[in-house]
Amino acid sequence: MGELFRSEEMTLAQLFLQSEAAYCCVSELGEIGMVQFRDLNPDVNVFQRKFVNEVRRCEEMDRKLRFVEKEIKKADMPIVDTGENPEVPVPRDMIDLEATFEKLENELKEINTNQEALKKNFLELTELKHILRRTQQFFDEMEDPTLLEESSTLLDPNEVNRVAPLRLGFVAGVIGRERIPTFERMLWRVCRGNVFLRQADIEDSLEDPSSGDQVHKSVFIIFFQGDQLKNRVKKICEGFRATLYPCPETPQERKEMLAGVNARIDDLQMVLNQTEDHRQRVLQAAAKAVRVWFIKVRKMKAIYHTLNLCNIDVTQKCLIAEVWCPVSDLDSIQFALRRGTEKSGSTVPSILNRMQTKQTPPTYNKTNKLTSGFQNIVDAYGIGSYREINPAPYTIITFPFLFAVMFGDLGHGVLMTCAALYLVLRESRLIAQKNDNEMFSMVFAGRYIILMMGLFSIYTGIIYNDCFSKSLNVFGSGWSVRPMFNVRVGGNWTFETLEGNKILQLDPAVDGVFKGPYPIGIDPIWNIATNKLTFLNSFKMKMSIILGVIHMLFGITLSLFNHLYFQKPLNIYLGFIPEIVFMASLFGYLVLLIFYKWLLYDVRLSRDAPSLLIAFINMFLFNYSDPTVKPLYTGQQALQTLLVLIALACVPCMLIVKTLVLRRQYLWRKNLGTQNFGGIRVGNGPTDDEAEIIQHDQLSQHSEDEPEAREEEEFNFADVAVHQAIHTIEYCLGCISNTASYLRLWALSLAHAQLSEVLWTMVMHIGLSTRSVAGFFLLSIVFCFFAVLTVAILLIMEGLSAFLHALRLHWVEFQNKFYLGQGYKFLPFTFEGILDGKFED
């Protein structure tokens, strides 16, 4: 269990891989995902590395597969996902894969080109068919003598009396329906009204062969006289992208052409159907294998990219790699290297050699489905420093509990738990569906966090006895009105008194009025009490202080284990001890006062109970002369004065003493306390042997980024003093501000309870106020509104607010006591992360 509370022990290892076995060995390491490769060629351009050509070939194959995938999606075909994880193909299979993808791409492109040409031809024939039909209708209408006379009059009014009508030229074509008004206006203006335009819409939409969109077009025919107008009309048609088609002048020729066009359309439709069937067969075959192809290509690309990080020895027969890996997984890594060597057929085994280094290893915390969400919460604040205490195991309990303190409601907790249980129980199906919705993916990733928050909310809801703002009277109230009714002086309380007064005061000092505490949680009678808010304010405020101080003391205690592990006794004696004494002597004492007051003052002494707030303020002001403030216990003044003095004495220990001790240690290491005069040791410093040990230890603590050890940097007393002063002031003021920050537990809890009560009173109460038959239908409608508002406001908005506040309490108030978060994350080379889209640079 040690790795759960502290990051894994890491080591830097050197791998010696034979050239023929390197590919298979890296493949096996990618399958287990336990090593992080270091780039040994940081100064080499990516285009000058050894395996850059293989990477380019993999990228080209990936491009072809994306083209095939795009065609499959365009055809609305499902890509078969059997969950298979194929092995990495050997390097010699790359040629076969390239040939397969090249053939598939060329075949699809050829099919698409032919299909587009056929569709274009089909569109032209279809438009010509509509033109022939519509023009025949136009000419049939023009044979009407009335229309003929009108048209000839419009074109040439001076020749109305001629016997034979004018012989007009015409052009026919197709244009987009939305361009008709502008097209007609342009014709009229350019030709000065000397043309005659007839147009009709094509009822069926036509498919654009280039884009595949459905377009609506219209047929038009333009009559004109003379070549000059003909040229103008053609230029206008060209400008408006209108397609002109040849149209015979005689009805017989038009009829024969229409019959020929129909026959060609039928033949073309048959060819199009056969082409589409062939395309569907090709895509269906590709859809079954495209996912496996993607996995193979991306694995190959990842392997060659990783091989580019390695060095090649002078003999060109061995690759040298450096990797970070967990010490506990060295056996698994060795076994993977043996598998890769055997698979490649190499007779020379791969060598793994552990290295000594001054560099800080990456931080690696092993997680599972439950702990990964909480670990992500911690890592969002900062990746933990190497081997320091990991807050995630404690966050699993404290985070949902502090959330539940603010969100405590039995009904809302049950709804949240049911939603989380649905995600947990159906997680395998939901993972297989691969939902791309970002919001759903985020909620699904935190399903175990939501489940824990829901369960803890149920617990705190029982403690608060709050279920949708109503109390549950399961065990019967501990208060009774009957003794008060019997003992009233002169029998003043009658049944009429009880019925006529909405507010009556129960005196717990009367025997029998208060029978005893409610078995669990808050007594349900407080739900109807007028001083409910006053009582809950006092209770939840004190509870927040208690939880906050315990949480912070626990965080300070965890820092002790860090100091012990890193062997820093100075931080224990002049850091941890003054900090915890300062915190306990002030705010720990306040917690004890709260418990002492709860235990000491019963119902008969409660009126004389002094205020804890006034007592705590007077403690800092050393003000004990106020006669109105009674002491809580004998010797309170002496004890509180002692505690304040102890707390004040801790400040110079952290502020001054630690800085002076650090300076003294530096001077001791620098001068070594030794002066040799003729072989005689003078002074009380270490011996020569001890001095060598000290020098060796000091050199081993130098900066990790420097390849060679150097002498210790000059000790800057001013910088250290300022740094220590900032830390001390921040801690001392933080103890006050952080304790006050935990009052958000009280504030958000009351806000959630009041908002829930307002929602019940203003919404649900309307449906319950009517007892007639119509009230049933009214209640159904009101309940729908109540449910929607409950989920939207109280569950989602209030839940998110409580989540963020709990997050802040852990990041700022808890983790800053012991967690530095100055490390960097262990990013192993793993195929699983690459295939999920989490590419690493």
Side-chain angles (χ1 to χ4, degrees), residues 291 298 431 434 830-839:
R291 181 185 174 275
R298 288 175 180 172
I431 291 174
K434 294 184 178 179
T830 170
F831 291 139
E832 182 180 358
I834 294 172
L835 296 176
D836 290 342
K838 304 172 183 176
F839 293 95

Side-chain angles (χ1 to χ4, degrees), residues 605-810:
L605 301 176
S606 59
R607 296 181 181 275
D608 299 329
S611 170
L612 290 180
L613 179 61
I614 301 300
F616 197 60
I617 293 174
N618 289 337
M619 174 180 173
F620 288 96
L621 299 177
F622 299 101
N623 181 16
Y624 300 100
S625 59
D626 190 354
T628 60
V629 180
K630 298 180 180 179
L632 284 163
Y633 55 90
T634 305
Q636 178 180 352
Q637 178 178 352
L639 179 59
Q640 291 185 167
T641 303
L642 177 63
L643 291 176
V644 173
L645 294 177
I646 292 175
L648 293 176
C650 293
V651 176
C653 290
M654 295 183 285
L655 180 62
I656 301 175
V657 177
K658 186 176 180 180
T659 307
L660 295 176
V661 172
L662 287 173
R663 181 174 180 274
R664 175 60 180 168
Q665 287 183 348
Y666 165 75
L667 295 176
W668 186 60
R669 288 192 299 266
K670 183 178 179 181
N671 300 324
L672 299 177
T674 304
Q675 294 179 353
N676 293 322
F677 296 95
I680 301 174
R681 176 175 171 270
V682 180
N684 58 354
T687 63
D688 294 339
D689 294 336
E690 291 174 347
E692 291 180 2
I693 296 175
I694 293 173
Q695 285 181 333
H696 178 269
D697 292 342
Q698 181 59 37
L699 291 176
S700 65
Q701 295 176 3
H702 280 175
S703 175
E704 310 148 351
D705 300 327
E706 298 181 3
E708 298 179 357
R710 56 183 178 81
E711 294 185 0
E712 185 180 7
E713 293 182 359
E714 190 70 23
F715 181 83
N716 193 322
F717 181 81
D719 288 348
V720 175
V722 170
H723 178 271
Q724 195 61 31
I726 293 174
H727 173 75
T728 304
I729 295 173
E730 181 183 9
Y731 176 80
C732 295
L733 295 181
C735 287
I736 302 172
S737 63
N738 292 350
T739 304
S741 183
Y742 278 92
L743 292 176
R744 69 186 68 236
L745 299 175
W746 156 51
L748 266 75
S749 174
L750 285 175
H752 183 81
Q754 291 300 307
L755 193 60
S756 179
E757 186 173 350
V758 168
L759 185 62
W760 179 278
T761 304
M762 297 184 65
V763 179
M764 200 63 186
H765 187 68
I766 299 174
L768 297 174
S769 60
T770 306
R771 299 181 180 273
S772 61
V773 178
F776 172 76
F777 299 100
L778 178 62
L779 180 61
S780 302
I781 298 173
V782 168
F783 179 77
C784 293
F785 280 100
F786 176 76
V788 170
L789 293 175
T790 298
V791 173
I793 298 177
L794 296 181
L795 282 183
I796 297 178
M797 293 179 62
E798 281 287 308
L800 182 61
S801 174
F803 179 89
L804 295 176
H805 283 282
L807 200 63
R808 181 245 155 76
L809 289 177
H810 279 78

Side-chain angles (χ1 to χ4, degrees), residues 3 61 143 161 194 292 310 330 336 378 428 493 541:
E3 68 276 2
M61 288 190 290
E143 289 179 358
N161 296 325
N194 292 322
V292 176
C310 305
L330 285 176
V378 174
S428 57
W493 277 20
M541 182 174 64

Side-chain angles (χ1 to χ4, degrees), residues 484-504:
M484 287 292 295
F485 177 70
N486 293 330
V487 302
R488 295 302 291 176
V489 179
N492 290 335
W493 277 20
T494 62
F495 288 106
E496 290 77 10
T497 304
L498 296 178
E499 293 176 356
N501 292 275
K502 294 183 179 180
I503 300 177
L504 292 173

